[in-house]
Amino acid sequence: AGAAFAQTKLVNPGFEEGELGSVPAGWFLPPVVASAGFGAKAVDRNCRTGARCAMLTGVANPPENMFGNLMQSLPATGYNLRRIRLRAAIRVEGPNTRAQMWLRLDRADNSMAFLENMSTRPVTSPEWKPYDIVATVPEDASRIILGFMLFGPGNAWVDDVTLDILEEVHVDKPEPARPLTPQGLTNLTAFARLYGYVRFFHPSDQAALTDWETFATEGVRAVEGAASLIDLQTRLEKLFQPIAPTVQIFPSARRPAPTDLPPAAEIIRYRHYGVGLPSSTLPHNIYKSERVKSPAIAASMPEPFAAELIPGLSVSVPLALYVDSEGTLPRAPKPREPLLYERQAADRGTRLATVIIAWNVFQHFYPYFDVVKTDWLAELPKALRTAATDSGTHEFEKTLGRLVAALKDGHGNVASPHARPLLVPPLTLDWIEGQFLVTRVQKGKSEGIAPGDRIMKIDGKPIDRAEADAREVISGATAQFIRWRLAGVLSTCGSTARMTLEIEPFLLPGTSKTVDLACSPPKLKDMETYTEPRPEKIAELEPGILYVDLDRVTEADWNAVVPRLEKAKGIIFDMRGYPGRPGTLVLTHLTDSTIRSAKWNVPLVSKPDRIDFAFTESGWDLQPAPPRFTAPHVFLTDGRAISYAETVMGIVENYKLGGIVGGPTAGTNGNVNPFKLPGGFTLTWTGMKVLKHDGSQHHGIGIRPTVPVSRTRKGVAEGKDEILLRAVEVVKAP
């Protein structure tokens, strides 16, 4: 296969070509980067190998969100369906300076297939060290773009850049969509249940070494066609016996005697702290799954776990095995070295396997089923049925979306491998008084439409139908957060980069008009992109009454405003969003004693199906800091405040650190545990249970306002921030 394509090569990877003092030949510095003052040049001093290397030069006070960037682009020809490694030696000098290597894979339609930029492991060392990025180049990748970023006023040196092929990636011929028969669905249900039991709880060496993505895909194809219960039993035994020889599959009415386990001095079992997944996308994952050993005493070997997979067919799965210096007992051959596959959503078997993998992660480790009351067993056949008939990536994304939506988890989300760049119209939309309204318009970009106008159709689709279609794939623990997510989804433009809206003008009730809007990438945390008209991020609303938008202020902004807050007559902290570190810094100025976060509870899982679910509790403290803010103060919040924002508001609520004006928060908190699936999808979900300070439920409830305020259509049309106006009244009240 390697001889079939001419492999394109990096140009000047050692920076030995071109003129000294100029941008290295074959590489380029984007003009916008150069105009900001950043530089890149070939130098012949302090290099790692050879005569030359590249030097990136920084800027002390660059424009916001600007950084140095020396880069190169090349066709993906010869790299498709290969595992590749980008490697370079890098060193950095200068205070507050860091460098990051990056690698991106693009498709012909300009959608992005892969991006890694070392954001969680930046280079700060003055010593030469090699750094790697490894990626799988999909079949449809058209270009490879790579480079080196510099942040800060110092300098960075780069040398010895290589782009190597590590191994071939295989692709199955896609199996076309077809519906599941009732028997096929039964067979896959049994396989799915057994898959989770063995993968996460049976501690054999063979199971631990298994490529579970390939096993799931091949297992789906092997068991779906079983014609009877006995045939299904035989096929399952053939699949699982090589990796779990002590697992017993049997007709429910005839349970066999337990398998005699060869004794040894130690036993081994799984210990799950949450769940550690090899495909997790967290850079610093607090969750882990490991096999642990302990001395083998007569009372320590637990009874095998028994369950009925489907009516009439049961299983017995040892949750612990004897182990000696050579491995788990009984002895069995190690699994074959797996081939590297690129799984595609166009393949029916891959879609079914993906559902089975995802369903099992949540079945055994999701910590909120006791709260959300979802019948999770019933979700498996629903997802399998639609996955079998989905026509490709887009339809299957909806199948996964419905599965995740059933979790009722505000962190629940599905990221598609074919996601297009996000485009939005030059206005904001939100649900007010049960209607979908225009709440803001950007100056000069939204002629013919005004705040308060009601949306009747989006791109020709009636709003009630558009809402229903979008809502079924939105996961959320509360109605207010679902409305917030729903507004965001309905505000996203399609591939034409335009949006057509049919509206009812506020000033002309009962009439309608159509407006066509051009879309563009969103400006995050820009004043015009909020659903309400906000003041500047730090503003004096009235003499002595200060407003601080914790969603927008930086730590430097915060440090600068602290002296003013100490002398203020009233303070309003805006928490309608996702604050940075100032979100917690503000709390340290509102207390004279140590205050603590809510209760973080990570599941300690030792048995399948969440049986005997236990938790380990943790949290963190905040110490008081001078000066103490004594002026009347309130916090603004609503349904978009989630996770860390709710951590801050939970402390405010428990310690009564200020009034809370607005609406209840999203009702979802806790570290997420995202993981990748076959087909390139990434699922995000909450991996721990968070309880309020008093031990009561937070999920699905959130932080309640002490002063409830809702927006009105009339207020929106008049350009008012009714929540902020009410907050001013509260801090001014005697």
Side-chain angles (χ1 to χ4, degrees):
F5 302 100
Q7 178 188 340
T8 53
K9 300 286 187 179
L10 279 176
V11 178
N12 194 19
F15 308 105
E16 302 293 335
E17 302 170 13
E19 295 183 11
L20 280 173
S22 299
V23 175
W27 298 81
F28 68 95
L29 190 73
V32 66
V33 172
S35 65
F38 290 95
K41 59 186 178 181
V43 296
D44 59 358
R45 294 184 180 182
N46 302 316
C47 296
R48 184 172 185 252
T49 60
R52 298 181 182 181
C53 55
M55 179 182 176
L56 283 71
T57 56
V59 177
N61 295 297
E64 189 174 0
N65 298 321
M66 188 61 64
F67 48 84
N69 196 1
L70 179 65
M71 55 190 294
Q72 184 171 153
S73 175
L74 63 156
T77 305
Y79 295 96
N80 299 94
L81 295 180
R82 304 291 190 273
R83 188 79 163 164
I84 64 172
R85 181 187 63 213
L86 173 64
R87 172 174 287 175
I90 310 172
R91 70 182 189 91
V92 168
E93 288 185 0
N96 302 314
T97 300
R98 72 183 191 274
Q100 295 169 208
M101 182 167 65
W102 60 275
L103 172 67
R104 194 178 81 217
L105 306 175
D106 285 355
R107 301 183 180 90
D109 63 1
N110 294 322
S111 64
M112 186 170 61
F114 175 86
L115 173 64
E116 163 61 32
N117 61 12
M118 292 181 61
S119 60
T120 61
R121 51 188 182 105
V123 181
T124 58
S125 172
E127 304 295 328
W128 281 111
K129 294 181 181 179
Y131 299 90
D132 292 353
I133 295 177
V134 176
T136 297
V137 184
E139 191 172 19
D140 59 353
S142 64
R143 296 205 69 78
I144 299 173
I145 308 98
L146 54 92
F148 303 90
M149 299 183 292
L150 175 67
F151 299 83
N155 302 317
W157 287 260
V158 182
D159 207 350
D160 302 333
V161 184
T162 59
L163 184 65
D164 297 319
I165 292 175
L166 301 181
E167 58 183 315
E168 185 178 1
V169 180
H170 299 267
V171 178
D172 286 332
K173 180 180 179 180
E175 177 190 1
R178 57 181 171 83
L180 287 168
T181 66
Q183 182 64 51
L185 179 60
T186 297
N187 297 341
L188 292 184
T189 299
F191 171 72
R193 299 287 301 279
L194 184 53
Y195 174 94
Y197 295 153
V198 175
R199 175 178 180 178
F200 294 115
F201 299 98
H202 185 66
S204 68
D205 290 344
Q206 293 72 31
L209 293 171
T210 294
D211 175 0
W212 286 103
E213 289 190 2
T214 297
F215 187 91
T217 307
E218 294 178 350
V220 161
R221 296 166 179 159
V223 306
E224 182 186 353
S228 65
L229 210 61
I230 296 300
D231 187 14
L232 175 60
Q233 177 185 346
T234 300
R235 297 188 188 203
L236 290 174
E237 288 174 340
K238 183 177 180 180
L239 276 172
F240 284 92
Q241 197 278 332
I243 63 172
T246 57
V247 168
Q248 295 177 308
I249 307 167
F250 53 90
S252 300
R254 299 195 300 274
R255 181 171 182 172
T259 301
D260 289 332
L261 299 177
E266 293 182 300
I267 64 172
I268 189 169
R269 69 186 77 193
Y270 267 104
R271 180 170 62 194
H272 297 284
Y273 183 80
V275 58
L277 298 166
S279 59
S280 172
T281 60
L282 283 179
H284 304 292
N285 198 347
I286 66 167
Y287 307 106
K288 61 182 179 180
S289 295
E290 57 186 354
R291 297 184 300 158
V292 296
K293 297 177 183 179
S294 58
I297 57 177
S300 64
M301 180 62 74
E303 288 292 320
F305 170 79
E308 191 168 51
L309 300 174
I310 54 173
L313 190 64
S314 294
V315 67
S316 173
V317 181
L319 304 183
L321 295 172
Y322 287 109
V323 60
D324 60 20
S325 60
E326 297 182 21
T328 54
L329 302 173
R331 303 270 186 253
K334 291 183 179 181
R336 70 179 188 274
E337 190 71 24
L339 298 175
L340 184 62
Y341 273 87
E342 181 193 3
R343 304 291 180 184
Q344 299 179 345
D347 173 55
R348 179 176 179 273
T350 296
R351 297 194 301 272
L352 292 169
T354 298
V355 166
I356 288 170
I357 293 170
W359 182 87
N360 269 291
V361 170
F362 304 132
Q363 166 66 10
H364 301 294
F365 302 102
Y366 183 54
Y368 287 118
F369 279 131
D370 62 327
V371 170
V372 302
K373 306 300 183 185
T374 296
D375 183 355
W376 192 243
L377 291 176
E379 296 301 321
L380 177 60
K382 291 180 190 177
L384 288 173
R385 286 192 190 97
T386 57
T389 57
D390 286 336
S391 61
T393 300
H394 183 65
E395 284 192 8
F396 185 54
E397 182 181 356
K398 291 183 177 180
T399 290
L400 292 177
R402 288 187 291 268
L403 184 70
V404 173
L407 297 174
K408 300 178 183 177
D409 178 6
H411 286 138
N413 194 41
V414 179
S416 169
H418 291 276
R420 294 181 178 274
L422 182 63
L423 300 173
V424 295
L427 45 77
T428 58
L429 307 171
D430 202 2
W431 296 94
I432 310 291
E433 296 183 318
Q435 302 176 82
F436 199 39
L437 304 182
V438 178
T439 59
R440 298 284 304 283
V441 295
Q442 295 182 21
K443 295 175 184 177
K445 297 182 180 180
S446 306
E447 297 296 328
I449 194 165
D453 292 350
R454 180 168 67 94
I455 305 299
M456 302 173 67
K457 292 182 180 180
I458 299 178
D459 292 332
K461 182 183 290 189
I463 189 61
D464 56 347
R465 187 155 60 88
E467 176 191 2
D469 290 347
R471 185 179 289 268
E472 70 174 3
V473 294
I474 292 176
S475 188
T478 59
Q480 60 268 20
F481 182 72
I482 291 175
R483 285 194 298 270
W484 174 250
R485 282 280 307 274
L486 187 60
V489 170
L490 295 178
S491 300
T492 302
C493 303
S495 57
T496 61
R498 303 200 69 83
M499 177 179 283
T500 302
L501 298 175
E502 183 178 325
I503 63 171
E504 177 197 57
F506 175 78
L507 297 176
L508 296 170
T511 67
S512 66
K513 64 184 294 187
T514 299
V515 293
D516 182 67
L517 301 170
C519 302
S520 59
K523 299 178 181 179
L524 298 179
K525 300 195 176 185
D526 182 272
M527 286 179 62
E528 284 195 314
T529 65
Y530 287 92
T531 66
E532 56 282 315
R534 298 193 179 192
E536 295 292 336
K537 59 185 176 181
I538 297 174
E540 188 169 15
L541 304 179
E542 295 184 13
I545 297 179
L546 291 182
Y547 168 88
V548 180
D549 189 347
L550 294 172
D551 191 49
R552 287 185 287 159
V553 294
T554 64
E555 194 167 346
D557 295 330
W558 173 255
N559 292 333
V561 79
V562 165
R564 297 175 62 191
L565 295 173
E566 181 185 12
K567 300 174 183 178
K569 296 179 181 179
I571 308 171
I572 298 169
F573 297 112
D574 202 335
M575 285 286 298
R576 293 174 295 180
Y578 200 89
R581 187 162 180 261
T584 51
L585 291 179
V586 62
L587 305 180
T588 66
H589 297 278
L590 301 176
T591 180
D592 290 325
S593 58
T594 300
I595 52 180
R596 189 166 176 80
S597 67
K599 300 175 183 291
W600 317 124
N601 295 274
V602 177
L604 297 176
V605 184
S606 59
K607 295 180 182 179
D609 297 333
R610 303 180 309 285
I611 295 172
D612 297 336
F613 229 28
F615 296 91
T616 178
E617 182 185 314
S618 64
W620 42 262
D621 296 333
L622 290 172
Q623 303 299 327
R628 176 78 183 274
F629 302 156
T630 57
H633 53 272
V634 297
F635 292 81
L636 312 185
T637 193
D638 59 17
R640 80 191 87 170
I642 188 173
S643 200
Y644 168 60
E646 292 189 283
T647 295
V648 176
M649 294 309 304
I651 296 173
V652 173
E653 178 186 61
N654 181 71
Y655 293 98
K656 297 180 173 54
L657 299 182
I660 303 173
V661 180
T665 60
T668 299
N669 201 355
N671 286 61
V672 298
N673 191 5
F675 62 98
K676 289 187 176 181
L677 288 165
F681 296 92
T682 298
L683 301 193
T684 306
W685 60 296
T686 309
M688 65 165 62
K689 174 177 284 190
V690 176
L691 300 176
K692 294 194 176 189
H693 290 74
D694 61 3
S696 63
Q697 178 182 330
H698 173 87
H699 194 84
I701 295 175
I703 309 302
R704 306 283 190 178
T706 58
V707 183
V709 185
S710 298
R711 304 179 72 190
T712 65
R713 186 179 183 188
K714 181 175 182 294
V716 169
E718 293 173 353
K720 295 178 179 178
D721 184 351
E722 292 158 297
I723 296 174
L724 178 58
L725 292 174
R726 183 71 179 95
V728 173
E729 294 176 358
V730 172
V731 298
K732 290 172 61 179

